[in-house]
Amino acid sequence: MFICNHCPYVKAVRERIVRDARELLGHGIRSVAVMSNDPADYPEDSFDNMRRVAAQYDFPFPYLLDETQAVARAYGAVCTPDFFGYDAALGLQYRGRLDASRRETAPADARRELFEAMVQVARTGRGPVQQVPSIGCSIKWRA
């Protein structure tokens, strides 16, 4: 997943990301988060603040700084949050949203789209046919 600290879309789902990542571990699915924004223009996304947020929310996954933005470019990431789900052979099976949350957290009974998709991938090797793209803040590219 591509996330950052300052984006209101990420803030709206941060606790759900942690919940789902923890539960996915029980299905043998690991997660990683990448922060690709330019912290010079967005100081809230600095490495020190990444460490603070990861500790505050007890991230059960690595939270990595993409200093050169090469990782985001290689994946074609466009926003935060942006989710990519892979099968055991590293084939992309899911490119979509966490759930129906936007700038506000979706209702508690909202479908857990990413979670359900990744459990399906673990069981069948294939992601869902229908996938709703993620929305959020654009990645803050360096000039």
Side-chain angles (χ1 to χ4, degrees):
M1 72 191 92
F2 289 83
I3 63 172
C4 68
N5 301 331
H6 87 273
C7 173
Y9 293 87
V10 173
K11 289 178 179 181
V13 296
R14 211 165 13 208
E15 291 171 350
R16 290 177 181 206
I17 290 171
V18 169
R19 173 200 67 192
D20 289 356
R22 280 193 199 294
E23 280 191 48
L24 287 170
L25 284 169
H27 294 275
I29 301 165
R30 297 189 182 277
S31 302
V32 63
V34 178
M35 200 297 295
S36 298
N37 284 344
D38 181 0
D41 286 340
Y42 292 84
E44 192 175 343
D45 293 336
S46 71
F47 184 69
D48 287 339
N49 283 327
M50 288 173 60
R51 292 176 58 179
R52 181 186 53 75
V53 167
Q56 178 183 352
Y57 288 89
D58 193 24
F59 283 179
F61 45 78
Y63 188 22
L64 309 174
L65 175 60
D66 178 15
E67 283 187 275
T68 66
Q69 300 182 315
V71 175
R73 290 187 196 287
Y75 277 77
V78 296
C79 65
T80 57
D82 205 354
F83 299 95
F84 297 75
Y86 293 87
D87 60 25
L90 300 180
L92 181 63
Q93 296 297 324
Y94 186 76
R95 173 82 188 273
R97 64 187 185 178
L98 183 80
D99 62 21
S101 297
R102 295 173 99 59
R103 284 177 162 268
E104 308 80 28
T105 306
D109 62 348
R111 262 191 72 230
R112 296 167 67 186
E113 296 170 41
L114 174 67
F115 178 83
E116 291 172 9
M118 293 314 300
V119 169
Q120 178 179 325
V121 170
R123 288 186 180 143
T124 69
R126 306 280 310 152
V129 173
Q130 185 176 12
Q131 301 178 13
V132 179
S134 192
I135 63 163
C137 297
S138 63
I139 289 184
K140 309 311 183 209
W141 301 105
R142 289 189 173 92

